[in-house]
Amino acid sequence: MTNSEDLSSPDSLSSSMSSTKVLEVNGSSGGGGGGRSYNNVTNTINLSSGSSTGSGIVRKKSITSTMGESDGIQTIPFVTISGEKMLHLVQMSEGTLVLSNYRLFVQGKDNHFNIPLGLIDQVECRDIFFLHINCKDARYIRCTFLNNETVIEVMRKVQQTLAASKCLEEYFAFSFFERVEIELSDEMKLQLGSDLPHALTPKERFDAEIKRMEFNVQNPWRISNENEDYELCSSYPKHIIVPNSIDKKKLEQVACFRSARRFPAVVWRHRGNGAVICRCSQPEVGWFGWRSTEDEELVQNIIQACAYQSYDRLPQIGESQSVPLDSIPSSTNFTGGSIELVPEFTNPVKKLLILDARSYTTAVANRARGGGCECLEYYPNCEIQFMNLANIHSIRKSFINVRQLCALPSDQVWFSQLEGCKWLQHMSGLMKAAVNVVTAIENDGRPVMVHCSDGWDRTPQIVALAEILLDPYYRSLEVMKKKVIYKLLTIDS
């Protein structure tokens, strides 16, 4: 069974429809006033008048699809959910395509395809009368229409719906949340979890993570609020963990030295040995070998903060970790006036691993565009590893080849073609990079700083994989439930 479906096949779709009809529905969900309600047991649309009939919340799925020349009636071939609005309905040569603010639905005789809009990667018209739908899960669907004008119109409508909206409230999640509060019964609200306590705000969730990972935000770390208005870095969150000794002025200087102003930010901490994972973008070294003393200081302070063990001050690079008597933990051994730290506190400051997702050649070539990589002469106690991972353009090309390959029947050369796509090599390299981070953190107790060019494609993939491997918390059902409830189904106030 392949992931490609040709919806023009008479074996797949009903052939009872004789002409192409396009309907554009501009009504909103809900049944008050002159609006149209689509949350009905049997939803029908009159093509001539645009009116809708039916009432009540959908409890039963309707998949009938009858559009005739005489009555002009088309039944919506799926169950709508709260807040869903019909935007476009068109009859194909042998089927029906419906576009809403939540999904793209293609109805056939023996099958149907229910595709959430967020799953659509690309919609294009490559051949006359054919609309090609490429999905992010490697599915490929081809729809056939009676004329090319309809294909272009449908493609334009879908692309407009997929485009980012300037108004946040226009996204379906907000519409769904609003209508659920009005339409659903107490029983269904209970099933959806609407009876849960008020959702945590982003700051509350951030504070909970800081507490769970046992960050000492008094010393040596602090919660930076300098990005409250996203002026420091537009792609960073409002609250960021940085060393306590780095103030706003220094952060501004570091941001100016890093590509896209993505300065080193701490995202995870090992509760056992104190090693952290940082992420950032490449330094803007350029051909002239520019450097930033503030950036170098920030990296050194991250190294020192990882070696800090709740004492009154940070140990300096290369010095012994002697501490005041009144700050010594009860587990410390001492004889007379001499102080002897227990083994877990006598570890020397360890080298920070700079994991560059690019190849060394690519990193050096980026100096021509103002980028580059860290010079170890200016970053003592650091080590660089280049992972030779392909950039986003190569990954996209590889995925397109895999998607096309999944549409082909399996044969003796299928695995050879899969190898030619280099998709498995890319995934292997990504996992190898994540394992290197895990080894440095778990086995060596070393802090790690991850970056690529701009720090927003390979970097988060490596960091996320490493966190899953290192922290069982991210593999728990509890966290998955929180992600769904707090990030997908609720609105932060």
Side-chain angles (χ1 to χ4, degrees), residues 274-292:
V276 299
I277 299 178
C278 311
R279 54 173 294 183
C280 58
S281 60
Q282 65 179 343
E284 295 185 338
V285 177
W287 281 124
F288 295 101
W290 301 111
R291 55 182 294 195
S292 168

Side-chain angles (χ1 to χ4, degrees), residues 184-430:
L184 293 188
S185 62
D186 294 337
E187 179 185 355
M188 295 192 70
K189 288 182 180 180
L190 182 63
Q191 294 177 3
L192 288 174
S194 299
D195 62 326
L196 295 176
H198 177 68
L200 296 177
T201 65
K203 181 60 167 64
E204 291 172 338
R205 293 198 299 269
F206 178 82
D207 291 340
E209 273 290 270
I210 294 302
K211 182 179 180 180
R212 186 186 68 83
M213 291 186 284
E214 300 178 1
F215 274 99
N216 185 348
V217 293
Q218 301 300 323
N219 199 12
W221 307 103
R222 74 178 179 91
I223 299 177
S224 169
N225 299 318
E226 283 81 10
N227 202 40
E228 186 74 28
D229 299 322
Y230 302 103
E231 294 181 354
L232 191 61
C233 179
S234 60
S235 58
Y236 268 8
K238 293 182 178 181
H239 310 289
I240 306 166
I241 290 290
V242 296
N244 191 38
S245 57
I246 303 298
D247 56 22
K248 180 179 180 180
K249 183 178 180 181
K250 292 180 179 178
L251 276 181
E252 177 66 31
Q253 294 296 322
V254 177
C256 292
F257 183 66
R258 292 280 173 170
S259 176
R261 301 180 63 87
R262 298 175 66 85
F263 57 89
V266 179
V267 296
W268 187 84
R269 178 182 181 274
H270 192 290
R271 289 180 291 180
N273 55 37
V276 299
I277 299 178
C278 311
R279 54 173 294 183
C280 58
S281 60
Q282 65 179 343
E284 295 185 338
V285 177
W287 281 124
F288 295 101
W290 301 111
R291 55 182 294 195
S292 168
T293 55
E294 291 80 8
D295 187 81
E296 297 161 11
E297 181 182 352
L298 173 58
V299 173
Q300 294 306 308
N301 275 272
I302 291 174
I303 298 174
Q304 297 171 25
C306 292
Y308 182 80
Q309 298 286 351
S310 71
Y311 300 142
D312 289 342
R313 67 184 183 87
L314 296 176
Q316 300 300 314
I317 300 295
E319 79 167 336
S320 60
Q321 299 184 33
S322 58
V323 296
L325 184 63
D326 58 357
S327 67
I328 302 175
S330 59
S331 60
T332 305
N333 302 322
F334 64 95
T335 305
S338 64
I339 301 174
E340 179 185 359
L341 299 180
V342 294
E344 63 259 33
F345 297 123
T346 57
N347 290 333
V349 175
K350 297 184 178 181
K351 284 189 175 183
L352 177 141
L353 173 62
I354 302 176
L355 192 129
D356 195 323
R358 307 164 296 179
S359 64
Y360 175 75
T361 303
T362 302
V364 173
N366 275 344
R367 297 183 64 174
R369 298 186 296 176
C373 60
E374 291 82 0
C375 177
L376 295 184
E377 180 182 354
Y378 306 133
Y379 292 87
N381 274 54
C382 293
E383 175 190 353
I384 299 182
Q385 286 186 13
F386 296 94
M387 298 311 303
N388 197 26
L389 299 183
N391 58 28
I392 190 172
H393 307 291
S394 299
I395 298 297
R396 183 184 296 112
K397 180 180 178 180
S398 177
F399 178 73
I400 292 175
N401 291 336
V402 169
R403 184 166 57 194
Q404 293 174 349
L405 184 61
C406 290
L408 299 177
S410 300
D411 52 27
Q412 295 180 351
V413 298
W414 194 90
F415 289 102
S416 298
Q417 294 173 328
L418 177 62
E419 183 180 4
C421 296
K422 297 185 178 181
W423 181 254
L424 297 180
Q425 291 92 320
H426 294 319
M427 296 302 101
S428 174
L430 183 62

Side-chain angles (χ1 to χ4, degrees), residues 416-449:
S416 298
Q417 294 173 328
L418 177 62
E419 183 180 4
C421 296
K422 297 185 178 181
W423 181 254
L424 297 180
Q425 291 92 320
H426 294 319
M427 296 302 101
S428 174
L430 183 62
M431 289 186 284
K432 179 182 177 181
V435 169
N436 284 359
V437 175
V438 172
T439 302
I441 294 284
E442 182 69 27
N443 297 347
D444 304 333
R446 304 166 56 191
V448 179
M449 185 170 71

